[in-house]
């Protein structure tokens, strides 16, 4: 059995102070985690995907350059 083809992705870019977050949980747990994050940080709109995954970005306000 073969898996489904992966969707094409562009090159990932990272900005100082921005965290890419993936939450793997049921809907209720995801909502609680999002509420906690949004109470402290500026967040992008969560993007739900199959399999109970949700992706978002969190702005921590850090402007230091990333260290490779």
């Amino acid at each position: 059995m073969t898996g489904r083809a992966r969707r094409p992705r562009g090159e990932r870019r990272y900005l100082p102070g921005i965290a890419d977050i993936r939450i793997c949980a049921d809907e209720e747990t995801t909502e609680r985690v999002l509420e906690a994050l949004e109470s402290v940080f500026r967040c992008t709109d969560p993007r739900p995907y199959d399999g109970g995954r949700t992706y978002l970005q969190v702005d921590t306000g850090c402007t230091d350059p990333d260290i490779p």
Side-chain angles (χ1 to χ4, degrees):
M1 181 172 149
T2 61
R4 61 184 161 157
R6 295 185 102 182
R7 60 184 168 84
R9 289 190 218 171
E11 181 182 339
R12 291 186 179 177
R13 297 180 185 163
Y14 299 98
L15 298 172
I18 304 296
D20 290 321
I21 306 289
R22 178 178 72 180
I23 303 169
C24 298
D26 61 42
E27 190 173 324
E28 183 178 339
T29 303
T30 299
E31 282 300 315
R32 289 180 184 216
V33 171
L34 290 173
E35 287 173 8
L37 287 171
E38 290 170 345
S39 72
V40 179
F41 302 107
R42 288 181 293 172
C43 302
T44 60
D45 290 332
R47 298 176 314 274
Y49 284 84
D50 295 338
R53 296 172 296 159
T54 301
Y55 294 86
L56 70 148
Q57 290 184 317
V58 174
D59 182 355
T60 63
C62 177
T63 58
D64 297 336
D66 288 343
I67 299 172

